[in-house]
Amino acid sequence: MSDALVARPAPRCMLCGGEGRLLYDGLRDRLFSAPGEWSLRLCTDRGCGLMWLDPMPEEADIHKAYASYYTHVEAPARGGAMARLFAAAKRGYLANQFGYGEGVSIAERLAGLLPWLYPGRPAELDFSVMWLARGARGRLLDVGAGSGWLVAQMQALGWRAEGLDFDPAAVERARARARGLTMHCGALAEQRFPDASFDAIAMSHSIEHVHDPVAWLAEAYRILCPGGRLALATPNSASMLHRRFREHWFALDPPRHLQLFNRAALDTALRRAGFTRQRQFTSVRDADGAYLGSRAIRRRGRFDMTAPRPALARFVARMVQLREVARSARDPDAGEDLVALAVK
Ligand SMILES: [Zn+2]
């Protein structure tokens, strides 16, 4: 069997059928060295703005791009007094901001003010619950759950949380990592969940990985209860760091990111799937990580996500994130993550 990914030409936009203009050419996998060379096209239709891979890897072959994906690697656990302080600040913040106050002490609520001193930290904590408040609590499906971190986190906060991933290795890891975690394996439509099964659906950095995002969102719409919530995050193709690093931008991630959205393209996809009530904003979460990745790709053509990050590099990256915080105040499209919160 060949290691090469079978791919087909994809000259047209899947959202509007518009023609694609060649944006970048000769892109290779910069993270995990999957074989192949890829182009990215940008829809030329005014008001669309979708970007996509051309050629497009075939669905049956895409698993080859995930052979050594990061969801297969365990992150080292931190300990000590700093870790305890971070944990207390997180509990307090989530109680203050999202209502997860059960068992949270006054001291922890005060510690929950500390993240506001640290640029980018509130965005990371908002992301850690996918902006889902306690009031919406019920049955939750995390679509594209990877290693299951969000499922475990939301279960701990009282949700009946389940995960789904199409990567068997990721599902296996998630199950091994936390006993009692409910993880489904395969495509979303394959699961045949009954109508109105879930109170909330999270899609954290997964829509850019699927071949038919509109059908996928429509399936999410079908299995949500009326009034149920969709919380979605995806790389923002209009972000400050994409504008700065162009073809070296970390989040292009060929050939795993099949398409990249801006606000207008995501809005079209959501509406077509049935979501008429939604709001979008961008978030500076992981602007520091995206900066380090993009810088390494520009310098060396690749980035090792598991390599240790020297203190100076981390500091510089936090300064870049701070700049993105400031930029976002006058340019709401500047954040690295595009977030959509929709209600059925
Ligand atoms: Zn288009």
Side-chain angles (χ1 to χ4, degrees):
M1 195 180 75
S2 159
D3 279 345
L5 277 79
V6 178
R8 61 188 147 74
R12 290 195 169 266
C13 174
M14 76 169 68
L15 284 181
C16 73
E19 273 186 57
R21 167 171 79 77
L22 190 64
L23 188 63
Y24 308 129
D25 208 3
L27 298 176
R28 291 178 171 277
D29 183 354
R30 296 90 68 96
L31 303 182
F32 306 103
S33 305
E37 204 166 285
W38 314 92
S39 300
L40 260 174
R41 288 189 177 274
L42 171 66
C43 184
T44 51
D45 186 89
R46 281 164 59 87
C48 181
L50 189 73
M51 286 170 44
W52 67 92
L53 272 192
D54 178 22
M56 180 68 73
E58 292 284 4
E59 218 166 335
D61 242 36
I62 194 69
H63 66 95
K64 290 177 184 169
Y66 293 86
S68 55
Y69 200 45
Y70 69 91
T71 49
H72 305 174
V73 183
E74 190 70 63
R78 282 191 297 180
M82 274 308 274
R84 284 197 297 278
L85 180 61
F86 266 82
K90 179 176 181 178
R91 280 167 59 76
Y93 180 91
L94 295 180
N96 297 342
Q97 296 301 118
F98 295 99
Y100 296 106
E102 288 125 326
V104 177
S105 66
I106 301 285
E108 285 172 325
R109 283 198 182 256
L110 284 172
L113 301 173
L114 292 174
W116 293 104
L117 301 174
Y118 193 47
R121 187 64 182 151
E124 291 165 7
L125 294 174
D126 296 346
F127 176 79
S128 79
V129 294
M130 285 298 286
W131 294 267
L132 289 166
R134 179 182 179 277
R137 208 158 61 175
R139 190 179 179 202
L140 167 74
L141 181 66
D142 181 17
V143 183
S147 60
W149 67 267
L150 182 66
V151 182
Q153 158 89 351
M154 297 309 263
Q155 194 167 275
L157 291 172
W159 288 78
R160 283 176 288 131
E162 300 167 32
L164 165 71
D165 206 284
F166 61 33
D167 179 358
V171 168
E172 211 42 59
R173 278 211 58 75
R175 286 180 181 147
R177 181 168 158 268
R179 258 187 288 271
L181 221 57
T182 307
M183 288 287 295
H184 309 272
C185 188
L188 178 56
E190 269 173 19
Q191 310 300 314
R192 302 192 185 285
F193 291 116
D195 289 357
S197 293
F198 294 95
D199 301 287
I201 292 180
M203 293 179 171
S204 167
H205 288 257
S206 48
I207 194 172
E208 64 274 17
H209 294 264
V210 300
H211 277 80
D212 190 345
V214 173
W216 201 66
L217 289 170
E219 178 66 2
Y221 187 85
R222 184 185 71 75
I223 64 176
L224 267 179
C225 301
R229 279 152 205 281
L230 172 74
L232 182 154
T234 188
N236 171 25
S237 67
S239 80
M240 181 183 93
L241 292 180
H242 184 205
R243 290 178 232 167
R244 173 164 166 189
F245 284 97
R246 309 298 300 161
E247 73 270 28
H248 303 117
W249 186 43
F250 169 73
L252 295 182
D253 197 17
R256 283 163 297 274
H257 288 182
L258 305 180
Q259 57 269 321
L260 290 149
F261 295 84
N262 62 4
R263 222 178 254 261
L266 186 58
D267 186 68
T268 303
L270 282 163
R271 279 177 194 285
R272 206 163 293 168
F275 290 101
T276 51
R277 287 189 287 163
Q278 56 128 331
R279 72 183 175 97
Q280 284 186 35
F281 52 93
T282 72
S283 163
V284 300
R285 185 204 71 93
D286 201 36
D288 49 339
Y291 167 76
L292 290 176
S294 305
R295 194 180 68 166
I297 290 164
R298 190 167 67 188
R299 284 181 181 169
R300 295 188 289 278
R302 51 177 295 108
F303 177 55
D304 178 0
M305 290 175 76
T306 59
R309 297 171 180 183
L312 178 62
R314 288 205 310 271
F315 175 77
V316 171
R318 282 291 183 185
M319 290 302 105
V320 172
Q321 187 178 39
L322 180 58
R323 193 184 309 157
E324 195 167 286
V325 170
R327 176 78 168 263
S328 296
R330 56 191 158 84
D331 175 4
D333 267 356
E336 290 308 297
D337 268 5
L338 184 57
V339 181
L341 304 179
V343 180
K344 178 172 174 178

